[in-house]
Amino acid sequence: MKATVYVTIKQNVLDVQGTAVQGALHSMGFEEVGKVRIGKYLELELGTTDKAEAEARVKAMCEKLLANTVIEDYRYELA
Amino acid sequence: MNFAVLVFPGSNCDIDCYKAIEDTIGQPVDYVWHTADDLSKYDCILVPGGFSYGDYLRCGAIAQFTNVMKAVVKAAEEGKYILGICNGFQVLTEARLLPGALLRNNGMKFRCHQAVLKVENNTTPFTRDYAEGELINIPIAHGEGNYYCDDATLKELQENNQIVFRYEAGNNPNGSVDDIAGICNKAGNVVGMMPHPERAIHELLGSADGKKMFTSILSTWREKHGAAAIR
């Protein structure tokens, strides 16, 4: 089973990378771009076929290491 | 008084911390590798700056799960003195020994220069030789030193006098909330800061204002343990 994890800076926390990229896009003429958010994309190969077990384990991984929940949100997909 | 300077793969201010202890207070100091699991012989633990584990994933995120950090958590609970500087501060927040987190600097730049700090709390074991409100000149060198915590945590920090250093008003280099440059835990024995006092121990380095961090900790320890051997 494979987990895809997305980690993003919380909406109410300044995303400096996103702001820099937004500025660059505007200066290139893409003025239609509103807020830009940049996050992390992780692919995890899991040695299990049990979806419930995988879900619990991935959630624990996110809470403990992959995201810092003080400043970041996370979501994941299992396939 | 025995000092430990932790060394993670990627630490690069460990030698500066070691030398700062030697040169300012002349106490026994050891480098302690990240795989060590026993810190019982040390009275004070310094978590140095650098890029532990390459700062992959997030600054300080991977270092928090090392053997030595488990020993640091235990030492903190025992009331031992712990100082995290720059990446060390990031490691202490990731390990939840200090609240909040460090974000990228809001000006998008790595900032590397002298900064004027105001000593807000001179009752911690690391700041007692400073005067309250004293302005000191300590270098900063960070790209991710923008201290962040939510409003409730900030209120708690303010009410418990846990803000140890602030950047001089109008000169916040990274956008940290409430101009915070350094904080301590509720008990006061764990201090974390982005500026580098170990790089400010001699006028030749541009400032000697960091010296008192180290003399403070020795005088605190001596007061608690009676006369200690000094060189």
Side-chain angles (χ1 to χ4, degrees):
Chain A
M1 188 169 278
K2 201 177 97 180
T4 311
V5 180
Y6 304 87
V7 180
T8 45
I9 295 271
K10 280 181 194 280
Q11 286 295 335
N12 60 343
V13 175
L14 176 70
D15 179 348
V16 174
Q17 274 181 299
T19 307
V21 171
Q22 183 197 37
L25 288 170
H26 284 177
S27 68
M28 291 162 73
F30 298 107
E31 277 107 12
E32 71 273 28
V33 178
K35 198 151 108 177
V36 178
R37 314 287 299 169
I38 294 186
K40 297 184 190 105
Y41 167 87
L42 301 95
E43 284 180 2
L44 312 176
E45 273 181 32
L46 308 174
T48 178
T49 50
D50 182 333
K51 197 162 183 187
E53 187 202 341
E55 181 147 356
R57 301 280 290 172
V58 169
K59 193 162 189 290
M61 291 176 211
C62 289
E63 294 279 337
K64 283 186 180 169
L65 176 66
L66 303 182
N68 178 343
T69 54
V70 175
I71 46 172
E72 292 171 328
D73 290 325
Y74 65 86
R75 64 188 173 84
Y76 54 84
E77 290 155 9
L78 293 169
Chain B
M1 184 177 187
N2 290 311
F3 286 80
V5 174
L6 305 190
V7 185
F8 299 102
S11 295
N12 64 19
C13 300
D14 43 345
I15 300 174
D16 308 61
C17 283
Y18 187 103
K19 295 284 177 196
I21 296 296
E22 266 193 333
D23 292 353
T24 57
I25 52 176
Q27 295 296 296
V29 51
D30 292 330
Y31 293 115
V32 177
W33 188 234
H34 62 112
T35 51
D37 52 13
D38 183 8
L39 291 169
S40 56
K41 72 174 270 205
Y42 301 105
D43 307 298
C44 179
I45 297 148
L46 304 182
V47 192
F51 297 87
S52 56
Y53 295 89
D55 274 352
Y56 292 133
L57 192 65
R58 286 185 311 279
C59 303
I62 296 175
Q64 67 175 306
F65 296 108
T66 53
N67 279 343
V68 83
M69 281 309 297
K70 284 178 198 137
V72 169
V73 170
K74 186 164 168 268
E77 285 164 2
E78 289 167 357
K80 289 186 177 181
Y81 308 116
I82 294 159
L83 174 63
I85 300 166
C86 201
N87 190 232
F89 183 19
Q90 294 161 343
V91 173
L92 295 180
T93 59
E94 284 284 342
R96 300 289 195 267
L97 286 170
L98 291 170
L102 283 307
L103 296 166
R104 280 170 193 262
N105 296 348
N106 69 342
M108 305 177 195
K109 283 181 185 163
F110 186 96
R111 303 291 299 263
C112 183
H113 52 74
Q114 296 288 120
V116 177
L117 309 184
K118 189 175 172 197
V119 180
E120 297 287 354
N121 179 348
N122 70 337
T123 66
T124 80
F126 290 98
T127 55
R128 55 181 273 168
D129 286 356
Y130 294 108
E132 194 185 324
E134 188 174 340
L135 295 178
I136 59 174
N137 209 3
I138 304 278
I140 58 164
H142 57 245
E144 302 188 35
N146 177 354
Y147 180 78
Y148 171 84
C149 63
D150 60 26
D151 292 343
T153 308
L154 179 61
K155 194 160 171 267
E156 212 171 285
L157 290 175
Q158 290 163 340
E159 284 171 358
N160 297 327
N161 200 20
Q162 284 174 254
I163 298 168
V164 180
F165 297 109
R166 279 196 176 93
Y167 299 106
E168 187 188 36
N171 283 304
N172 183 333
N174 52 43
S176 62
V177 296
D178 205 19
D179 295 334
I180 286 174
I183 58 169
C184 63
N185 64 346
K186 258 185 202 152
N189 63 315
V190 180
V191 172
M193 61 195 293
M194 286 314 297
H196 287 271
E198 83 284 12
R199 294 188 190 173
I201 55 155
H202 198 286
E203 290 299 342
L204 283 171
L205 298 172
S207 167
D209 289 352
K211 255 180 153 172
K212 288 180 187 170
M213 296 286 298
F214 304 103
T215 57
S216 292
I217 194 65
L218 182 59
S219 49
T220 304
W221 189 83
R222 273 199 195 139
E223 195 175 87
K224 221 172 163 183
H225 297 268
I230 47 162
R231 196 163 66 189

